[in-house]
Amino acid sequence: MAVATAATTVGVLYARSTLRAFHQLTEERKREDAGQLRALRMQLHFERNQRTCEETTLALLPELLRCLTTEADADALFSHLRKGRSGEVLLNDQERAAAWETLKELSFTRAMASPYLLCLLH
């Protein structure tokens, strides 16, 4: 009888420890799954935000390019300088120097702004 009681006690203790270990394992798995789910949600949220940002930026690029070409338009200035060179328009040295200075500024503006717009395109 004592052996049966001891065997039953050992069996019950073993079952309890096994159940406790199984419960701990289940809880740990739930925590890991919750962490993975949280990470996946964050990843999807980031991807949605990035896609929205790219779509918005790409929609603005034609307008930015139009503004750059309008604001830094040098065609009229080139035409004016060519007319001065050919004699159609009389330009004194001061006007010619001011025109060239403006042309340098416009060229520099376009040269600096273009790479930024290209980076936005890609």
Side-chain angles (χ1 to χ4, degrees):
M1 177 86 162
V3 174
T5 304
T8 304
T9 305
V10 169
V12 168
L13 291 175
Y14 179 73
R16 262 193 198 165
S17 66
T18 304
L19 284 173
R20 190 175 302 133
F22 179 73
H23 180 68
Q24 287 174 349
L25 182 62
T26 304
E27 289 298 317
E28 187 176 322
R29 253 194 208 148
K30 284 181 186 178
R31 282 192 299 273
E32 285 177 4
D33 290 345
Q36 288 176 350
L37 183 61
R38 199 172 20 254
L40 182 60
R41 282 184 185 152
M42 288 175 63
Q43 178 73 24
L44 290 174
H45 181 69
F46 174 77
E47 288 173 0
R48 277 190 221 117
N49 284 348
Q50 188 174 16
R51 186 174 34 245
T52 302
C53 182
E54 287 174 357
E55 289 170 0
T56 305
T57 304
L58 288 176
L60 292 174
L61 283 178
E63 181 65 19
L64 289 173
L65 185 59
R66 188 190 63 73
C67 287
L68 177 64
T69 54
T70 302
E71 294 298 320
D73 185 27
D75 293 336
L77 194 57
F78 274 129
S79 176
H80 187 66
L81 285 171
R82 283 186 187 126
K83 286 179 183 178
R85 187 174 184 191
S86 67
E88 293 177 40
V89 176
L90 293 176
L91 292 176
N92 62 27
D93 289 341
Q94 218 174 19
E95 290 173 334
R96 188 174 291 124
W100 277 106
E101 188 64 32
T102 304
L103 186 61
K104 285 191 293 186
E105 290 171 3
L106 291 175
S107 297
F108 183 77
T109 301
R110 287 183 86 160
M112 291 297 109
S114 296
Y116 287 114
L117 289 177
L118 287 175
C119 288
L120 288 174
L121 281 171
H122 298 291

